[in-house]
Amino acid sequence: MKSVYFRKILLVFIAVMFLANALLLSAYFFFGKQTYIDLEIEDMTSTLNTVQRFYLNRSSVFLNAQSFVSVLSFIEMTSDVNIYYYAYGSNLIINNIPQNDYIIEVVERIISGESVTVVDTDVELTAGSTSICIAAPLYNSSYGIEGCVLIVRNTEHIDSAFDKLNSVLWVMAAFMFPIWIIAGYFSAQRLSKPMRDMTNIAIQVTNGNYDVRANENLKGEMGIFARAMNRMSEEISKTIFQLNSEKRQLSYILSSFSEGVAAIDEFGHLTHYNPALMRMFGTVDVKVPLDLVPDRSIWDAFHAVIDSKEPRSLKYDLPGDRMLWISIVPVISDDDACIGAVGLFKDMSEMEKLERMRRDYVANISHELRTPLTAVRGLLEPLVDGMIKDDATKERYYSIMLKEVERLSRLITDMLQLSRLQSGTEYMEVKSFDINILLDDIMQSYKNEAANRGLSLALISQQMPQVISDPDRIEQVIVILLDNAMRYTAQGGNIEISTREDLHFVYVCVSDTGCGISEEDLPHIFERFYKADKSRKEGGTGLGLSIAKHIMDKLGEELTVESKVNEGTCFQISIKKYVPNAIALGPIEEAPLIEPETVSQPAPKMEDGDVAHFEVIESTKPKKRKT
């Protein structure tokens, strides 16, 4: 398909050629025949001048009139003209004027001196024939008029020659017109080819192909245009590359945000959003803003920001006690026009939870510290005032105050230990030890206390292999679990310590037949100061299970719980088995990797009580492992 530019060039070429030929033909038709006639008149004028000279010199050239007439006849024959004359000189009287009104009139005008020379190009002497007529006077030696001479030439030969020439011209025009059309076609194609190439290059650049280049070797304006087109393609390529790079960077930045981000233009079309916002609202496919955030009030807030050019903040509640803080700011262009709005969606649920925990922690600490202090103050005031005189009562008061101070001391000690565990500064001394001996020692220590409480304490365990961990911390955790079981198991209940093993771990379970823990309380039992049975007056500081959990996390182990109300509770801890060759142990799911300092040779077998020269790699999040 030819371009419009090509068709225009071809049409212009044809129109110019047609107009030029029309002008040439018009000039030929208007001036061609007249040019022939002018040439004939010039030739006839020369013949007329010859006749006049002959007549003027007749006395010396011609003997009589017959000789003069013979000369005129010769001139007629050689010049292809008709000569009409009339002379009445003193010695020469000649006349061959035909009886023609036009000729007689011309002769009379010449002889009378009315006209010196008469030239007429359209004289009809005979019917159907035109002639050229030139008339002039005949002078004597004293330049007196003695007659008249007329030279007439028929124009039929001029018309015949002109008709033949017209036929030749029409044949040549009919032959040359297709040649002109073909030449114009190829000329227009040659002239329009650079423009077509430029158009194709512009289309390819529009379609994203920035590697195409125009021919810069073209001459004239097309060469300048080609160089400008190539520079424009290079600049567009650089600009598009920079925009794509910035777009990728923006996409990576938005994808890395944990907060949700959304942006719209002034027409309400969605321009940017990130995966975090899609996760917040559970969005899968996004085409319009309501697909991303299915609440029109939020997008109404975006449009209000665009209209007012003022930022806006709002809170938005999500299902599951989740809350979003949304901050929307306008996007202002250089000409102070608002071209869109950007919204930041921040999930404040965790921060709210942490804030509540902080408030609860401060309240719990204040309560736990105030209780023993209030008791001590209530006992000290009567002693200081001297109200107590009985020594036995004083001893009882002193004993109660000592108990409360010891409780306060335990509370502060537990809080400090929990703080060190959370900050990662608590030291762990990992070594291999015999779990069987450790459990036997604990049984011997708590057997009498369990009996005093009316509880049955039993150890159900087979011979377990060596384990590797911090024995003091493991003992502390088991003691916390035992103390918790005794506190919440009624008299006559049973408490069991059992063990089992798998390929990599030894598991110790402390179970009881106490009151159990409800499903609502299970997710919170490892929180600080949390007590499932708040009606009990007896109890510890509320930090024991939280300390146990942090110790196990610090060691890279696991502490789990299973419980049913009025049936009992089972706490289970995991301890890694000791492997003489630590390299052979390999990675255990997500457990922290324990490596000796020197691994060029197998680690020596460790006896009970030996301290290993390695530390537990601390993790910021509790490690989960399938049991």
Coordinates of all heavy atoms in Angstrom, one line a residue, residues 157-227:
H157 N -0.5 26.6 -48.2 CA 0.7 25.8 -47.8 C 1.0 26.0 -46.3 O 1.5 25.1 -45.6 CB 1.9 26.2 -48.6 CG 2.4 27.6 -48.4 ND1 1.7 28.8 -48.8 CD2 3.5 28.0 -47.7 CE1 2.4 29.8 -48.4 NE2 3.5 29.4 -47.7
I158 N 0.7 27.2 -45.8 CA 0.9 27.4 -44.3 C 0.0 26.6 -43.5 O 0.4 25.9 -42.5 CB 0.8 28.9 -44.0 CG1 1.9 29.8 -44.7 CG2 0.9 29.1 -42.5 CD1 1.7 31.2 -44.5
D159 N -1.3 26.6 -43.9 CA -2.3 25.8 -43.1 C -2.0 24.3 -43.2 O -2.1 23.6 -42.3 CB -3.7 26.1 -43.7 CG -4.1 27.5 -43.5 OD1 -3.6 28.1 -42.5 OD2 -5.0 28.0 -44.2
S160 N -1.5 23.9 -44.5 CA -1.2 22.5 -44.6 C 0.0 22.1 -43.7 O 0.0 21.0 -43.0 CB -0.9 22.2 -46.1 OG -0.5 20.9 -46.3
A161 N 1.0 22.9 -43.7 CA 2.2 22.6 -42.9 C 1.9 22.6 -41.4 O 2.3 21.8 -40.6 CB 3.3 23.6 -43.2
F162 N 1.0 23.6 -41.1 CA 0.6 23.7 -39.7 C -0.2 22.5 -39.2 O -0.1 22.0 -38.1 CB -0.1 25.0 -39.5 CG -0.1 25.5 -38.0 CD1 1.0 25.9 -37.4 CD2 -1.3 25.4 -37.3 CE1 1.0 26.3 -36.1 CE2 -1.4 25.8 -36.0 CZ -0.2 26.3 -35.3
D163 N -1.1 22.1 -40.1 CA -1.9 20.9 -39.8 C -1.0 19.6 -39.6 O -1.2 18.8 -38.7 CB -2.9 20.6 -40.9 CG -4.0 21.7 -40.9 OD1 -4.2 22.4 -39.8 OD2 -4.7 21.9 -41.9
K164 N 0.0 19.5 -40.5 CA 0.9 18.4 -40.3 C 1.7 18.4 -39.0 O 1.9 17.4 -38.3 CB 1.8 18.3 -41.5 CG 1.2 18.0 -42.8 CD 2.2 17.9 -44.0 CE 1.5 17.6 -45.3 NZ 2.5 17.6 -46.4
L165 N 2.1 19.6 -38.7 CA 2.8 19.8 -37.5 C 1.9 19.5 -36.3 O 2.4 18.9 -35.3 CB 3.4 21.2 -37.4 CG 4.3 21.5 -36.2 CD1 5.5 20.6 -36.1 CD2 4.8 23.0 -36.2
N166 N 0.7 19.9 -36.3 CA -0.3 19.6 -35.2 C -0.4 18.1 -35.1 O -0.5 17.6 -33.9 CB -1.6 20.3 -35.5 CG -1.5 21.8 -35.3 OD1 -0.6 22.3 -34.7 ND2 -2.5 22.5 -35.9
S167 N -0.5 17.4 -36.2 CA -0.7 16.0 -36.1 C 0.5 15.3 -35.5 O 0.4 14.4 -34.6 CB -0.9 15.4 -37.5 OG -2.1 15.9 -38.1
V168 N 1.7 15.8 -35.8 CA 2.9 15.3 -35.2 C 2.9 15.6 -33.7 O 3.3 14.7 -32.9 CB 4.2 15.9 -35.9 CG1 5.4 15.5 -35.2 CG2 4.2 15.4 -37.4
L169 N 2.5 16.8 -33.4 CA 2.5 17.1 -31.9 C 1.6 16.3 -31.1 O 1.9 15.8 -30.0 CB 2.2 18.6 -31.8 CG 3.3 19.6 -32.2 CD1 2.8 21.0 -32.1 CD2 4.5 19.4 -31.4
W170 N 0.4 16.0 -31.7 CA -0.6 15.2 -31.0 C -0.1 13.8 -30.8 O -0.3 13.1 -29.8 CB -1.9 15.2 -31.7 CG -2.7 16.5 -31.5 CD1 -3.0 17.4 -32.4 CD2 -3.3 16.9 -30.2 NE1 -3.7 18.4 -31.8 CE2 -3.9 18.2 -30.5 CE3 -3.3 16.4 -28.9 CZ2 -4.6 18.9 -29.5 CZ3 -4.0 17.1 -27.9 CH2 -4.6 18.3 -28.2
V171 N 0.5 13.3 -31.9 CA 1.1 11.9 -31.8 C 2.2 11.9 -30.7 O 2.3 10.9 -29.9 CB 1.6 11.5 -33.2 CG1 2.4 10.2 -33.0 CG2 0.5 11.3 -34.1
M172 N 3.1 12.8 -30.7 CA 4.1 12.9 -29.7 C 3.6 13.0 -28.3 O 4.1 12.4 -27.4 CB 5.1 14.0 -30.0 CG 5.9 13.8 -31.3 SD 7.1 15.2 -31.6 CE 8.1 15.0 -30.1
A173 N 2.5 13.8 -28.2 CA 1.9 14.0 -26.9 C 1.3 12.7 -26.4 O 1.4 12.3 -25.2 CB 0.9 15.1 -26.9
A174 N 0.6 12.0 -27.3 CA 0.0 10.7 -26.9 C 1.1 9.7 -26.6 O 0.9 8.8 -25.7 CB -0.9 10.2 -28.1
F175 N 2.2 9.8 -27.3 CA 3.3 8.8 -27.0 C 4.0 9.2 -25.7 O 4.4 8.3 -24.9 CB 4.2 8.8 -28.2 CG 5.4 7.9 -28.0 CD1 5.3 6.5 -28.0 CD2 6.7 8.4 -27.7 CE1 6.4 5.7 -27.9 CE2 7.8 7.6 -27.5 CZ 7.6 6.3 -27.6
M176 N 4.2 10.5 -25.5 CA 5.0 10.9 -24.3 C 4.2 10.9 -23.0 O 4.9 10.8 -21.9 CB 5.6 12.3 -24.6 CG 6.6 12.4 -25.7 SD 8.1 11.4 -25.3 CE 8.7 12.3 -23.9
F177 N 2.9 11.0 -23.1 CA 2.1 11.1 -21.8 C 2.3 9.8 -21.0 O 2.6 10.0 -19.8 CB 0.7 11.3 -22.1 CG -0.2 11.6 -20.9 CD1 -0.1 12.8 -20.3 CD2 -1.0 10.6 -20.4 CE1 -0.9 13.0 -19.2 CE2 -1.8 10.8 -19.3 CZ -1.7 12.0 -18.7
P178 N 2.2 8.6 -21.5 CA 2.5 7.4 -20.6 C 3.9 7.4 -20.1 O 4.2 7.0 -18.9 CB 2.3 6.2 -21.5 CG 1.4 6.7 -22.6 CD 1.8 8.2 -22.8
I179 N 4.9 7.9 -20.9 CA 6.3 8.0 -20.5 C 6.4 9.0 -19.3 O 7.1 8.7 -18.3 CB 7.2 8.4 -21.6 CG1 7.2 7.3 -22.7 CG2 8.6 8.6 -21.1 CD1 8.0 7.6 -23.9
W180 N 5.7 10.1 -19.4 CA 5.7 11.0 -18.3 C 5.1 10.4 -17.0 O 5.6 10.7 -15.9 CB 4.9 12.3 -18.7 CG 5.6 13.1 -19.8 CD1 7.0 13.1 -20.1 CD2 5.0 14.0 -20.7 NE1 7.2 14.0 -21.1 CE2 6.0 14.6 -21.5 CE3 3.7 14.4 -20.9 CZ2 5.8 15.5 -22.5 CZ3 3.4 15.4 -21.9 CH2 4.5 15.9 -22.7
I181 N 4.0 9.7 -17.3 CA 3.3 9.1 -16.1 C 4.3 8.1 -15.4 O 4.4 8.1 -14.2 CB 2.0 8.4 -16.5 CG1 1.0 9.4 -17.0 CG2 1.4 7.6 -15.3 CD1 0.6 10.4 -16.0
I182 N 4.9 7.2 -16.2 CA 5.8 6.2 -15.6 C 7.0 6.9 -15.0 O 7.4 6.6 -13.8 CB 6.3 5.3 -16.7 CG1 5.1 4.4 -17.3 CG2 7.4 4.3 -16.2 CD1 5.5 3.6 -18.5
A183 N 7.6 7.9 -15.7 CA 8.7 8.7 -15.1 C 8.2 9.4 -13.8 O 9.0 9.4 -12.8 CB 9.2 9.7 -16.1
G184 N 7.0 9.9 -13.8 CA 6.5 10.6 -12.6 C 6.3 9.5 -11.4 O 6.6 9.8 -10.3
Y185 N 5.8 8.3 -11.8 CA 5.6 7.3 -10.8 C 6.9 6.9 -10.1 O 7.0 6.9 -8.9 CB 5.0 6.1 -11.5 CG 4.8 4.9 -10.5 CD1 3.6 4.8 -9.8 CD2 5.7 3.9 -10.4 CE1 3.5 3.7 -8.9 CE2 5.6 2.8 -9.6 CZ 4.4 2.8 -8.8 OH 4.3 1.7 -8.0
F186 N 7.9 6.6 -10.9 CA 9.2 6.2 -10.3 C 9.9 7.4 -9.6 O 10.5 7.2 -8.5 CB 10.1 5.7 -11.3 CG 9.7 4.3 -11.8 CD1 9.1 4.1 -13.0 CD2 9.9 3.2 -11.0 CE1 8.7 2.8 -13.4 CE2 9.5 1.9 -11.4 CZ 8.9 1.7 -12.6
S187 N 9.7 8.6 -10.1 CA 10.3 9.8 -9.5 C 9.6 10.0 -8.1 O 10.3 10.3 -7.1 CB 10.1 11.0 -10.3 OG 10.9 10.9 -11.5
A188 N 8.3 9.9 -8.1 CA 7.5 10.1 -6.8 C 7.9 9.0 -5.8 O 8.0 9.2 -4.6 CB 6.0 10.1 -7.1
Q189 N 8.0 7.8 -6.4 CA 8.4 6.7 -5.5 C 9.8 6.9 -4.9 O 10.0 6.7 -3.7 CB 8.4 5.3 -6.2 CG 8.5 4.1 -5.4 CD 8.4 2.8 -6.2 OE1 8.9 2.7 -7.3 NE2 7.7 1.9 -5.6
R190 N 10.7 7.4 -5.7 CA 12.1 7.6 -5.2 C 12.1 8.8 -4.2 O 12.8 8.8 -3.2 CB 13.0 8.0 -6.4 CG 14.4 8.2 -6.1 CD 15.3 8.3 -7.3 NE 16.7 8.6 -7.0 CZ 17.2 9.8 -6.9 NH1 16.4 10.8 -7.0 NH2 18.5 9.9 -6.6
L191 N 11.3 9.8 -4.5 CA 11.2 10.9 -3.6 C 10.5 10.6 -2.3 O 10.9 11.1 -1.2 CB 10.5 12.1 -4.2 CG 11.2 12.8 -5.4 CD1 10.3 13.8 -6.0 CD2 12.5 13.4 -4.9
S192 N 9.5 9.7 -2.4 CA 8.7 9.3 -1.2 C 9.3 8.2 -0.3 O 8.9 8.0 0.8 CB 7.3 9.0 -1.5 OG 7.3 7.8 -2.3
K193 N 10.3 7.5 -0.9 CA 10.9 6.3 -0.2 C 11.6 6.8 1.1 O 11.3 6.1 2.2 CB 11.9 5.6 -1.1 CG 12.5 4.4 -0.4 CD 13.5 3.7 -1.3 CE 14.0 2.4 -0.7 NZ 14.7 2.7 0.6
P194 N 12.4 7.8 1.2 CA 12.9 8.3 2.5 C 11.8 8.6 3.5 O 11.9 8.3 4.7 CB 13.8 9.5 2.1 CG 14.1 9.3 0.7 CD 12.9 8.7 0.1
M195 N 10.7 9.2 3.0 CA 9.7 9.5 3.9 C 9.0 8.3 4.4 O 8.6 8.2 5.6 CB 8.6 10.5 3.2 CG 7.5 10.9 4.2 SD 8.1 11.8 5.6 CE 8.7 13.3 4.8
R196 N 8.8 7.3 3.6 CA 8.2 6.0 4.0 C 9.1 5.3 5.0 O 8.7 4.8 6.0 CB 8.0 5.1 2.8 CG 6.8 5.4 1.9 CD 6.3 4.2 1.1 NE 7.4 3.6 0.4 CZ 7.8 4.0 -0.8 NH1 7.3 5.0 -1.4 NH2 8.8 3.3 -1.4
D197 N 10.4 5.4 4.7 CA 11.4 4.8 5.7 C 11.3 5.5 7.0 O 11.3 4.8 8.1 CB 12.8 4.8 5.1 CG 13.0 4.0 3.9 OD1 12.1 3.1 3.7 OD2 13.9 4.3 3.1
M198 N 11.2 6.8 7.0 CA 11.1 7.6 8.3 C 9.8 7.2 9.0 O 9.8 7.0 10.2 CB 11.1 9.1 8.0 CG 12.4 9.6 7.4 SD 13.8 9.3 8.4 CE 15.1 10.0 7.2
T199 N 8.7 7.0 8.2 CA 7.4 6.7 8.8 C 7.5 5.3 9.5 O 7.0 5.1 10.6 CB 6.3 6.7 7.8 OG1 6.3 8.0 7.2 CG2 5.0 6.4 8.4
N200 N 8.1 4.3 8.8 CA 8.3 3.0 9.4 C 9.1 3.0 10.6 O 8.8 2.3 11.6 CB 8.9 2.0 8.3 CG 7.9 1.8 7.1 OD1 6.7 1.9 7.3 ND2 8.5 1.5 6.0
I201 N 10.2 3.8 10.6 CA 11.0 3.9 11.8 C 10.3 4.5 12.9 O 10.4 4.0 14.1 CB 12.3 4.7 11.4 CG1 13.2 3.9 10.5 CG2 13.1 5.1 12.7 CD1 14.4 4.7 10.0
A202 N 9.5 5.5 12.7 CA 8.7 6.2 13.7 C 7.7 5.2 14.3 O 7.5 5.1 15.5 CB 8.0 7.4 13.2
I203 N 7.1 4.3 13.4 CA 6.1 3.3 13.9 C 6.8 2.3 14.8 O 6.3 1.9 15.8 CB 5.4 2.7 12.7 CG1 4.5 3.7 12.0 CG2 4.6 1.5 13.1 CD1 3.9 3.2 10.7
Q204 N 8.0 1.8 14.4 CA 8.7 0.9 15.1 C 9.2 1.4 16.5 O 9.1 0.7 17.5 CB 9.9 0.4 14.4 CG 9.6 -0.5 13.1 CD 10.8 -1.1 12.5 OE1 11.6 -1.7 13.1 NE2 11.0 -0.8 11.2
V205 N 9.6 2.7 16.5 CA 9.9 3.4 17.8 C 8.7 3.4 18.6 O 8.8 3.2 19.9 CB 10.5 4.8 17.5 CG1 10.7 5.5 18.8 CG2 11.9 4.6 16.8
T206 N 7.5 3.8 18.0 CA 6.3 3.8 18.8 C 6.0 2.4 19.4 O 5.5 2.3 20.5 CB 5.1 4.3 17.9 OG1 5.5 5.6 17.4 CG2 3.9 4.4 18.7
N207 N 6.3 1.4 18.7 CA 6.0 0.0 19.2 C 7.0 -0.5 20.1 O 7.0 -1.7 20.6 CB 5.9 -1.0 18.0 CG 4.6 -0.6 17.1 OD1 3.7 -0.1 17.6 ND2 4.7 -1.0 15.8
G208 N 8.1 0.3 20.4 CA 9.0 -0.1 21.4 C 10.4 -0.6 20.9 O 11.2 -1.0 21.7
N209 N 10.6 -0.6 19.6 CA 11.9 -1.0 19.0 C 12.7 0.3 18.8 O 12.6 1.0 17.9 CB 11.6 -1.7 17.7 CG 12.9 -2.2 17.1 OD1 14.0 -2.2 17.7 ND2 12.9 -2.6 15.8
Y210 N 13.6 0.5 19.8 CA 14.5 1.7 19.8 C 15.8 1.4 19.2 O 16.7 2.3 19.2 CB 14.6 2.2 21.2 CG 13.3 2.4 22.0 CD1 13.0 1.5 23.0 CD2 12.5 3.4 21.6 CE1 11.8 1.7 23.7 CE2 11.3 3.6 22.2 CZ 10.9 2.8 23.3 OH 9.7 2.9 23.9
D211 N 16.0 0.3 18.6 CA 17.3 0.0 17.9 C 17.3 0.3 16.4 O 18.4 0.3 15.8 CB 17.7 -1.5 18.1 CG 17.9 -1.9 19.5 OD1 18.3 -1.0 20.3 OD2 17.6 -3.0 19.9
V212 N 16.2 0.6 15.8 CA 16.1 1.0 14.4 C 16.8 2.3 14.2 O 16.7 3.2 15.0 CB 14.7 0.9 13.9 CG1 14.2 -0.5 13.9 CG2 13.8 1.9 14.7
R213 N 17.4 2.5 13.0 CA 18.1 3.8 12.7 C 17.8 4.1 11.2 O 17.7 3.3 10.4 CB 19.6 3.7 12.9 CG 20.0 3.5 14.4 CD 19.7 4.8 15.1 NE 20.1 4.7 16.5 CZ 19.3 4.3 17.5 NH1 18.0 3.9 17.2 NH2 19.7 4.3 18.7
A214 N 17.7 5.4 11.0 CA 17.4 5.9 9.6 C 18.8 6.1 8.9 O 19.8 6.2 9.5 CB 16.6 7.2 9.7
N215 N 18.7 6.2 7.6 CA 19.9 6.4 6.8 C 20.3 7.9 6.8 O 19.6 8.7 6.3 CB 19.6 6.0 5.3 CG 20.9 6.1 4.5 OD1 22.0 6.3 4.9 ND2 20.7 5.9 3.1
E216 N 21.4 8.1 7.5 CA 21.9 9.5 7.6 C 22.7 10.0 6.4 O 23.1 11.2 6.4 CB 22.7 9.7 8.9 CG 22.0 9.4 10.2 CD 22.9 9.6 11.4 OE1 24.0 10.0 11.2 OE2 22.3 9.4 12.5
N217 N 22.9 9.2 5.4 CA 23.7 9.6 4.2 C 22.8 10.3 3.2 O 23.3 10.6 2.1 CB 24.3 8.4 3.6 CG 25.4 7.7 4.5 OD1 26.0 8.4 5.3 ND2 25.5 6.4 4.5
L218 N 21.5 10.4 3.4 CA 20.6 11.1 2.5 C 21.0 12.6 2.4 O 21.5 13.1 3.4 CB 19.2 10.9 2.9 CG 18.6 9.5 2.9 CD1 17.2 9.5 3.5 CD2 18.6 8.9 1.5
K219 N 20.8 13.1 1.3 CA 21.2 14.5 1.1 C 20.0 15.5 1.4 O 18.8 15.1 1.3 CB 21.6 14.8 -0.4 CG 22.8 14.0 -0.8 CD 23.2 14.3 -2.2 CE 24.5 13.5 -2.6 NZ 24.9 13.8 -4.0
G220 N 20.3 16.7 1.7 CA 19.3 17.7 1.9 C 18.6 17.5 3.2 O 19.1 17.0 4.2
E221 N 17.3 17.9 3.2 CA 16.5 17.9 4.4 C 16.2 16.5 4.9 O 16.1 16.3 6.1 CB 15.1 18.6 4.1 CG 15.2 20.1 3.8 CD 15.7 20.5 2.5 OE1 15.9 19.5 1.7 OE2 15.8 21.7 2.2
M222 N 16.2 15.5 4.0 CA 15.9 14.2 4.4 C 17.1 13.6 5.3 O 16.9 12.9 6.3 CB 15.7 13.2 3.2 CG 14.3 13.4 2.6 SD 13.1 12.9 3.8 CE 11.6 13.3 2.9
G223 N 18.3 14.0 4.9 CA 19.5 13.6 5.8 C 19.4 14.3 7.1 O 19.7 13.6 8.2
I224 N 19.0 15.6 7.2 CA 18.9 16.3 8.4 C 17.8 15.6 9.3 O 17.9 15.4 10.5 CB 18.6 17.7 8.2 CG1 19.8 18.4 7.5 CG2 18.3 18.5 9.5 CD1 19.5 19.8 7.1
F225 N 16.7 15.3 8.6 CA 15.5 14.6 9.2 C 15.9 13.3 9.8 O 15.6 12.9 10.9 CB 14.4 14.5 8.3 CG 13.1 13.9 8.9 CD1 12.8 14.2 10.2 CD2 12.2 13.2 8.1 CE1 11.6 13.7 10.7 CE2 11.1 12.7 8.6 CZ 10.8 12.9 10.0
A226 N 16.7 12.5 9.0 CA 17.2 11.2 9.5 C 18.1 11.3 10.7 O 17.9 10.5 11.7 CB 18.0 10.5 8.3
R227 N 19.0 12.2 10.7 CA 19.9 12.4 11.9 C 19.1 12.8 13.1 O 19.3 12.4 14.2 CB 21.0 13.4 11.5 CG 22.0 12.9 10.6 CD 23.2 13.9 10.4 NE 22.8 15.1 9.7 CZ 22.9 15.2 8.3 NH1 23.3 14.1 7.6 NH2 22.5 16.3 7.7

